[in-house]
């Protein structure tokens, strides 16, 4: 295949711009000018790009691909502006689907006029006999009705470590935070094999439409990973995946014995660990109390000793450790533990996922042996209330992507979908403009931590590939690498800044094969 007359941003420092490339057997074999490639090659398939912008296939360095697919089969609560709207959507969903256990995701009390956690009373009156469990947008809090609480054996006397069962006036509210959610998760109905396959295919279709050719799924079971592998090997699933194994003891034992699993499409070489919860649900662990809740510090999801023991075990293996850390206390534990167990090891690329609030003392420690994996749209979603949680001093060390980049040299960018939207163009805009889709704030949120367009593109391609130990095979349009690329309708590197979120993908290619084209 020959692709000609294009405006190509290769993300290859040795050859940053080109106008043509040649593909054979799924790899780039030449990159250069249209004239020189036409002189050198004949092709069975020639594509005239007519000046359109082409980028390497985009990589989402932190998402929940499988969960996004499953979400297509559940009630969608994203964007609800009140608790009543949440209830209305659940009622409509149940009228249409009539399921035996209602599940969903996406509510966020910070978007409501009354910015308080909901109470289950109305849910109980609407669904006295059908269990309901709907997850907060960040996945770190759950609203359930009494039926679900009864099924899980949760009452006012149950206590949890690393989470919270929220009560009001001595009664259960139905809101469970972090580890308290585990008891409900145990009673949720398991999707059928057909539903799992459909979820993966649905998620792939959505990702291809946004030019994403590799996704880093942050937390999967061996069973789901095996299903992905089998679907990829039978060409029923074409997207490339870096699958982080969830930190469950039996999963850890299984993969440490089995070893790293790597194919052209699948990379299983890391574990996803949770240090703390989320800032929005006040589960992130802070060094000093929350500014808007006296004597509340959040909670570590994993004990410090357990975390250090796991880190030591993984340091003796070839696996990466990728840890969710939001609060400054959690980031301190994670970074200091990483440094301690890796002190005699180089190029391990252990990842800090989110790194949302980092204290000055941890910034001083940062170096290029760690990879910061961040999601720019979190900054523009959280900016409306984050300063209330953190106060005016701590907020300066939050969502500080430019500072993180300066300290580590590379930054892997992702979305954390379905917590945020799938679109990598929203990510790009949030990173560069530090604004939300309403173009707010006008001057950008903490604009000193904005990234350049070049840095952002690298964060979504070559640096993301680097974070996966995959920069030799993908992340730039370079001879020898997979021919994964995306054709855009507009030039993302030059278009007016506020038009970036509306950029459309014209076509997406994996290994030179078209997997999406705009209708």
């Amino acid at each position: 295949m020959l692709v000609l007359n294009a405006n190509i941003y290769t993300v290859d420092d040795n050859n940053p711009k080109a106008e043509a490339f040649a593909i054979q057997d799924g790899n780039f074999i030449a990159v250069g000018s249209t004239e020189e490639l036409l002189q050198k090659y004949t092709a069975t398939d020639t594509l005239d790009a007519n000046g359109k912008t082409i980028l390497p296939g985009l990589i989402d360095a932190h998402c929940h691909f499988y969960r996004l697919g499953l979400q297509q089969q559940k009630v969608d609560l994203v964007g609800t502006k009140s608790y009543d709207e949440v209830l209305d959507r659940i009622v409509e969903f149940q009228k249409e689907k009539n399921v035996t256990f209602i599940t969903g995701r996406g509510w966020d009390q910070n978007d409501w006029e009354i910015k308080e956690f909901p109470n289950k009373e109305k849910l109980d009156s609407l669904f006295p006999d059908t269990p309901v469990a709907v997850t907060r947008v960040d996945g770190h809090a759950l609203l359930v009705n009494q039926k679900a609480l009864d099924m899980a054996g949760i009452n006012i006397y149950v206590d949890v470590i690393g989470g919270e069962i929220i009560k009001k006036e001595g009664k259960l509210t139905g809101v469970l935070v972090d580890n308290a959610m585990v008891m409900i998760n145990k009673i949720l109905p398991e999707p059928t094999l057909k539903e799992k396959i459909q979820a993966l295919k649905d998620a792939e279709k959505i990702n291809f439409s946004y030019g994403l050719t590799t996704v880093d799924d942050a937390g999967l079971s061996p069973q789901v990973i095996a299903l992905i592998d089998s679907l990829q090997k039978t060409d029923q699933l074409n997207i490339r995946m870096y699958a982080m194994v969830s930190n469950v003891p039996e999963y850890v034992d299984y993969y440490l014995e089995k070893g790293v699993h790597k194919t052209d499409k699948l990379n299983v070489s890391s574990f996803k660990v949770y240090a703390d919860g989320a800032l929005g649900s006040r589960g992130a662990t802070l060094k000093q109390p929350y500014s808007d809740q006296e004597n509340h510090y959040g909670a570590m999801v994993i004990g410090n000793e357990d975390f250090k023991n796991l880190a030591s075990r993984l340091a003796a293996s070839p696996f990466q450790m990728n840890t969710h850390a939001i609060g400054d206390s959690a980031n301190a534990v994670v970074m200091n533990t990483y440094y301690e167990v890796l002190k005699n090891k180089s190029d391990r690329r252990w990842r800090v996922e989110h790194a949302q609030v980092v204290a000055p003392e941890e910034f001083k420690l940062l170096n290029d042996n760690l990879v910061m994996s961040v999601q720019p749209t979190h900054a523009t979603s959280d900016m409306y209330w984050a300063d209330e949680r953190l106060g005016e001093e701590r907020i300066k060390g939050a969502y500080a992507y430019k500072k993180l980049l300066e300290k580590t040299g590379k930054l892997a960018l992702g979305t954390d979908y379905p917590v945020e939207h799938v679109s990598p163009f929203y990510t790009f805009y949030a990173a560069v403009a530090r604004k939300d889709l309403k173009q707010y704030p006008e001057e950008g949120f903490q604009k000193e931590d904005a990234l350049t367009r070049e840095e952002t593109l690298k964060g979504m391609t070559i640096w993301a590939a680097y974070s996966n130990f995959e920069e030799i095979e993908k992340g730039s349009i370079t001879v020898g690498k997979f021919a994964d690329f995306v054709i855009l309708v507009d030039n993302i590197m030059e278009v007016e800044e506020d038009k970036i979120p509306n950029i459309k993908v014209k076509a997406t290619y994996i290994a030179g094969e078209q997997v999406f084209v705009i209708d």
Side-chain angles (χ1 to χ4, degrees):
M1 182 182 187
L2 277 174
V3 176
L4 309 170
N5 302 314
N7 174 41
I8 303 167
Y9 292 90
T10 66
V11 197
D12 182 336
D13 288 341
N14 296 318
N15 182 29
K17 286 298 297 289
E19 58 181 21
F21 51 73
I23 298 166
Q24 190 170 35
D25 299 328
N27 294 85
F28 297 114
I29 58 165
V31 182
S33 71
T34 295
E35 185 181 358
E36 66 182 335
L37 265 63
L38 278 174
Q39 287 178 356
K40 192 172 181 182
Y41 298 101
T42 55
T44 52
D45 184 13
T46 299
L47 173 66
D48 188 334
N50 291 313
K52 292 289 184 209
T53 294
I54 294 182
L55 308 177
L58 300 176
I59 301 172
D60 192 317
H62 183 112
C63 66
H64 300 277
F65 177 87
Y66 177 55
R67 192 189 297 169
L68 174 74
L70 288 175
Q71 182 62 48
Q72 309 312 305
Q73 303 167 18
K74 300 179 180 185
V75 58
D76 181 10
L77 302 174
V78 173
T80 45
K81 297 302 179 188
S82 67
Y83 183 33
D84 284 338
E85 188 180 348
V86 168
L87 296 172
D88 289 345
R89 286 203 198 177
I90 295 172
V91 169
E92 284 303 309
F93 173 85
Q94 185 62 352
K95 276 182 186 174
E96 183 185 340
K97 303 289 187 183
N98 193 28
V99 297
T100 57
F101 199 128
I102 301 168
T103 57
R105 184 188 180 95
W107 60 270
D108 184 353
Q109 82 283 3
N110 294 310
D111 291 341
W112 305 345
E113 189 174 335
I114 301 171
K115 301 181 191 303
E116 295 176 359
F117 274 137
N119 192 297
K120 67 181 178 65
E121 287 178 356
K122 288 184 180 178
L123 204 55
D124 290 340
S125 64
L126 289 167
F127 302 100
D129 303 314
T130 304
V132 180
V134 288
T135 312
R136 190 179 182 277
V137 67
D138 58 11
H140 289 271
L142 193 61
L143 171 65
V144 300
N145 65 350
Q146 188 60 45
K147 180 69 175 178
L149 291 170
D150 291 342
M151 289 171 64
I154 298 172
N155 56 47
I156 59 168
Y157 305 108
V158 173
D159 201 11
V160 291
I161 297 169
E164 188 178 1
I165 297 172
I166 294 181
K167 306 177 184 76
K168 195 169 185 179
E169 297 173 356
K171 295 180 180 178
L172 296 176
T173 63
V175 176
L176 312 173
V177 178
D178 290 321
N179 282 355
M181 298 161 56
V182 172
M183 290 177 278
I184 296 292
N185 291 339
K186 287 178 179 176
I187 64 165
L188 291 176
E190 177 73 10
T192 65
L193 179 61
K194 184 179 179 182
E195 288 169 341
K196 290 177 181 177
I197 292 171
Q198 189 60 50
L200 292 166
K201 289 183 174 182
D202 287 347
E204 178 181 70
K205 186 177 180 181
I206 294 167
N207 278 262
F208 283 163
S209 73
Y210 287 106
L212 291 158
T213 55
T214 294
V215 291
D216 295 12
D217 196 318
L220 291 171
S221 70
Q223 293 84 1
V224 173
I225 292 170
L227 177 59
I228 290 165
D229 196 19
S230 67
L231 291 172
Q232 288 174 331
K233 285 176 176 172
T234 52
D235 294 326
Q236 295 179 71
L237 202 65
N238 291 309
I239 199 161
R240 303 191 200 275
M241 189 174 297
Y242 170 91
M244 306 182 207
V245 182
S246 295
N247 175 32
V248 175
E250 53 265 37
Y251 299 175
V252 175
D253 292 343
Y254 173 78
Y255 272 105
L256 286 183
E257 184 177 335
K258 178 183 171 71
V260 168
H261 178 70
K262 180 77 172 74
T263 70
D264 282 354
K265 290 182 181 177
L266 182 63
N267 181 353
V268 189
S269 59
S270 65
F271 290 95
K272 166 68 183 302
V273 183
Y274 283 94
D276 65 345
L279 199 62
S281 52
R282 296 188 186 85
T285 316
L286 301 178
K287 294 186 176 190
Q288 299 300 322
Y290 276 76
S291 297
D292 60 355
Q293 189 170 338
E294 194 176 345
N295 297 323
H296 182 73
Y297 293 80
M300 290 292 281
V301 172
I302 188 171
N304 288 7
E305 201 59 37
D306 288 341
F307 183 74
K308 186 175 177 181
N309 288 339
L310 178 61
S312 298
R313 197 174 170 201
L314 297 184
S317 81
F319 283 85
Q320 285 171 278
M321 188 172 190
N322 302 342
T323 308
H324 163 118
I326 302 281
D328 55 5
S329 182
N331 273 289
V333 169
V334 172
M335 292 177 191
N336 283 288
T337 302
Y338 279 10
Y339 288 128
E340 186 178 340
V341 302
L342 297 177
K343 59 188 170 190
N344 297 319
K345 301 174 188 294
S346 61
D347 199 32
R348 290 302 305 268
R349 305 185 197 180
W350 281 19
R351 297 169 43 158
V352 182
E353 305 294 331
H354 311 308
Q356 276 185 14
V357 188
V358 180
E361 51 269 35
E362 271 66 60
F363 269 115
K364 289 175 186 172
L365 285 174
L366 282 173
N367 62 36
D368 62 2
N369 201 25
L370 301 189
V371 173
M372 300 294 114
S373 169
V374 301
Q375 301 75 45
T377 46
H378 282 335
T380 52
S381 292
D382 298 358
M383 64 183 174
Y384 290 95
W385 48 262
D387 59 337
E388 296 171 14
R389 300 278 195 276
L390 299 171
E392 60 182 41
E393 275 308 307
R394 274 187 303 200
I395 194 73
K396 293 173 186 174
Y399 315 95
Y401 307 140
K402 192 73 164 188
K403 292 190 195 77
L404 292 171
L405 176 59
E406 287 168 353
K407 285 289 188 177
T408 59
K410 297 178 179 67
L411 211 55
L413 302 182
T415 58
D416 201 15
Y417 73 65
V419 176
E420 302 284 355
H421 195 277
V422 180
S423 174
F425 309 113
Y426 294 3
T427 301
F428 202 102
Y429 183 61
V432 170
R434 301 280 287 196
K435 298 178 188 178
D436 66 10
L437 298 180
K438 299 170 189 168
Q439 298 178 12
Y440 176 85
E442 191 175 336
E443 71 284 357
F445 169 65
Q446 299 187 171
K447 191 66 187 284
E448 68 275 11
D449 274 304
L451 304 176
T452 67
R453 295 195 198 204
E454 290 75 15
E455 289 165 348
T456 303
L457 181 57
K458 285 184 174 181
M460 299 165 72
T461 53
I462 194 66
W463 291 343
Y466 174 89
S467 77
N468 300 349
F469 280 94
E470 294 181 331
E471 74 276 14
I472 302 302
E473 63 192 47
K474 64 178 71 162
S476 66
I477 295 174
T478 304
V479 171
K481 292 191 180 185
F482 295 140
D484 300 349
F485 62 97
V486 55
I487 305 175
L488 303 182
V489 173
D490 297 296
N491 183 353
I492 196 168
M493 305 304 284
E494 293 183 0
V495 72
E496 190 178 326
E497 190 176 76
D498 287 339
K499 291 181 178 176
I500 290 172
N502 300 319
I503 286 175
K504 296 283 188 289
V505 168
K506 184 173 176 60
T508 305
Y509 289 78
I510 287 187
E513 296 289 331
Q514 187 181 84
V515 292
F516 169 81
V517 64
I518 203 165
D519 292 332

